[in-house]
Amino acid sequence: MKDFWIEPEAKKVNKKKIIITIIIGIIIIALAVFIGIYINNKEAREWIDKNIFRKEIVQDKATTIELKEGQNNNIYAFNKYIGILNKNKFIIYSNTGNQENELEIQISNPLFNSANRFLIIGETNGQKIYVLEDKQIAWEAQVEGNISQVHINRNGYVAVVIVDTSYKTVIAVYDPQGKEMFKKFLSSTRTADVDISNDNKYLAIAEIDTSGTMIQSNIRIASMNEPTAQDETYQGENNKLITNIKYQDKNKLVCMYTDCIHVIEDKQDNLIMNNEDKKITFQSVELTNHFISIEEKSSGLFTVNSVVKIVNTENKNEKEYTIESSIKEINTYGNIIALNLGTEVEFINTGGWLVKRYIANQEITQIVVSDNIATIIYRDKIEIINL
């Protein structure tokens, strides 16, 4: 018979489990403290970026591609590659500086545009266009008239702006296989910019009419599926100069004027940022679901801060990134914003965080950037920065 008066054995404590739980707890607390310091303490963040995350790169420490001095090199970054066009040879390099391919491109004064894995190269004031997919020529064509702009969307659809014909402007549209889909003829206006929506359904044209006493900017949206249908037209305010347009997700068309930014969505044209009475030095809509506006603000008797305002066009959230100096030049692509400060470049993302900082011992005059890589261009070399 079982003896109910025998005391039960004491439950053994799993010391290993307790130690592991304590260690995990300490790691979580330490990580939370680290993140808090990184976000809220600028000096600590600068030190962490430089010494822990290794975000700072100095000249001559990056991957380098040597250039022959005196040659007319045309350099462009696209996808994960760098292309150098010289004497009708387009040499493609990887982000490690290794040559990947060499293509025959009969163009001497190029216009570049890229999206996703596609690149279009057109001859400025010429007739030739080439479309590359990844590292190969997908197709080429010749137009009637002179090319003034080229555009390609992320699925390989192409728009070419042509001038010097019987019309003021002609826009030719091609499918990803190089077949001409249709043309748009503008009899009295010139084109500031064109863009094709991410779903290939719409062609947007920013047109400017200077024939009257005041400048008139209009946005024309054509159906890619029914190009003969009546275009939608959105008329800008009198004397407002349109400079750039960009389709973003959900067919939002972001329209940049010299002093404001509009968004056309669901057939509504809405002002989203007014830059009147502000010292705006740069704007860009060439980003993924964002646009930026850079304002200079006095920080002392002879000093200024440059405040980079990054606006999300999906939810209208704003981020700010402050530079304690003036900005000489910007370059934007995808989620990357390159800020040229003269002898230093700060690459930030649309979340408002530093991605990389490049420090040179001479004035930086030219930068090209894509989602994955950036190149700093000098007379005798280029330096590659992986982002």
Side-chain angles (χ1 to χ4, degrees):
M1 186 176 178
K2 189 174 179 180
D3 190 349
F4 289 97
W5 297 103
I6 298 174
E7 292 185 8
E9 292 182 13
K11 191 175 181 181
K12 292 183 179 179
V13 176
N14 191 332
K15 294 181 180 180
K16 185 177 180 181
K17 189 174 181 180
I18 292 174
I19 292 170
I20 291 172
T21 302
I22 292 171
I23 291 172
I24 291 172
I26 291 170
I27 291 171
I28 292 171
I29 293 169
L31 187 60
V33 171
F34 178 84
I35 292 171
I37 291 172
Y38 185 82
I39 292 173
N40 298 304
N41 189 316
K42 185 178 178 181
E43 290 183 1
R45 183 166 62 248
E46 291 277 343
W47 188 91
I48 292 167
D49 282 341
K50 180 179 178 180
N51 296 286
I52 297 178
F53 293 151
R54 304 293 182 184
K55 292 184 178 182
E56 189 169 289
I57 300 170
V58 297
Q59 185 175 344
D60 299 327
K61 298 297 182 182
T63 302
T64 300
I65 299 173
E66 301 295 330
L67 301 174
K68 292 182 180 179
E69 291 192 55
Q71 291 191 352
N72 184 26
N73 294 299
N74 296 282
I75 300 162
Y76 191 75
F78 65 102
N79 197 7
K80 53 187 177 182
Y81 305 111
I82 297 154
I84 301 177
L85 179 61
N86 181 279
K87 295 181 179 180
N88 298 330
K89 299 290 185 183
F90 190 63
I91 302 176
I92 299 172
Y93 295 89
S94 69
N95 60 351
T96 58
N98 295 322
Q99 183 173 327
E100 297 280 318
N101 204 359
E102 181 177 315
L103 304 172
E104 184 77 17
I105 304 287
Q106 296 292 327
I107 285 176
S108 56
N109 189 14
L111 291 164
F112 293 105
N113 188 252
S114 66
N116 197 4
R117 65 187 186 278
F118 296 100
L119 168 67
I120 183 169
I121 309 173
E123 179 73 66
T124 306
N125 295 321
Q127 289 77 46
K128 292 284 291 183
I129 56 172
Y130 292 81
V131 170
L132 278 62
E133 184 175 356
D134 199 32
K135 297 176 287 184
Q136 303 292 338
I137 296 174
W139 57 271
E140 58 184 274
Q142 190 154 334
V143 304
E144 295 181 6
N146 294 320
I147 299 167
S148 65
Q149 297 174 51
V150 293
H151 168 77
I152 194 163
N153 85 340
R154 67 187 185 186
N155 301 309
Y157 286 81
V158 165
V160 181
V161 180
I162 305 164
V163 295
D164 300 331
T165 68
S166 56
Y167 290 87
K168 187 88 171 179
T169 309
V170 178
I171 296 107
V173 178
Y174 299 83
D175 69 13
Q177 288 71 47
K179 181 182 177 182
E180 185 180 297
M181 297 174 64
F182 62 89
K183 286 179 178 175
K184 284 289 178 180
F185 301 93
L186 309 181
S187 57
S188 60
T189 57
R190 66 180 180 86
T191 303
D193 198 13
V194 295
D195 204 29
I196 297 172
S197 61
N198 293 334
D199 62 4
N200 321 314
K201 290 183 178 180
Y202 302 104
L203 167 71
I205 305 166
E207 55 179 352
I208 300 171
D209 187 350
T210 57
S211 60
T213 56
M214 290 187 291
I215 293 171
Q216 180 61 55
S217 298
N218 298 318
I219 308 297
R220 183 194 295 249
I221 298 177
S223 169
M224 297 272 284
N225 297 324
E226 299 179 74
T228 58
Q230 182 70 33
D231 297 341
E232 295 177 14
T233 303
Y234 299 85
Q235 187 171 319
E237 295 180 35
N238 288 337
N239 255 7
K240 294 279 187 181
L241 182 63
I242 186 79
T243 58
N244 197 202
I245 56 175
K246 175 69 173 177
Y247 265 115
Q248 300 187 354
D249 287 347
K250 300 178 182 177
N251 288 331
K252 291 188 300 296
L253 183 66
V254 187
C255 308
M256 187 172 83
Y257 295 80
T258 51
D259 59 359
C260 62
I261 293 175
H262 285 235
V263 171
I264 297 174
E265 184 178 13
D266 297 329
K267 299 184 183 296
Q268 298 293 319
D269 183 1
N270 296 312
L271 175 68
I272 195 169
M273 177 170 285
N274 189 345
N275 289 323
E276 290 182 354
D277 304 321
K278 296 178 182 177
K279 190 178 180 182
I280 301 299
T281 53
F282 297 100
Q283 296 181 127
S284 177
V285 298
E286 293 292 333
L287 290 161
T288 301
N289 297 326
H290 290 78
F291 67 84
I292 64 166
S293 180
I294 301 176
E295 181 182 4
E296 276 194 359
K297 295 182 177 181
S298 175
S299 58
L301 189 59
F302 301 109
T303 58
V304 296
N305 285 343
S306 295
V307 180
V308 184
K309 184 172 287 188
I310 307 164
V311 181
N312 185 316
T313 55
E314 287 279 331
N315 53 31
K316 308 303 184 293
N317 286 345
E318 296 183 4
K319 302 281 187 181
E320 286 191 356
Y321 186 90
T322 301
I323 300 285
E324 295 178 349
S325 68
S326 60
I327 295 171
K328 313 294 183 187
E329 175 195 21
I330 69 166
N331 200 314
T332 60
Y333 189 95
N335 290 305
I336 296 296
I337 304 157
L339 308 171
N340 183 355
L341 312 182
T343 58
E344 184 178 312
V345 183
E346 295 206 1
F347 298 93
I348 65 173
N349 60 26
T350 49
W353 296 105
L354 180 71
V355 177
K356 288 286 172 66
R357 177 182 289 115
Y358 176 86
I359 298 174
N361 52 31
Q362 63 192 93
E363 194 77 11
I364 299 166
T365 58
Q366 190 177 359
I367 307 165
V368 292
V369 64
S370 75
D371 260 334
N372 301 291
I373 55 176
T375 59
I376 311 296
I377 303 172
Y378 298 103
R379 185 182 67 257
D380 58 347
K381 65 178 178 179
I382 62 176
E383 294 203 342
I384 303 169
I385 301 164
N386 290 298
L387 301 174

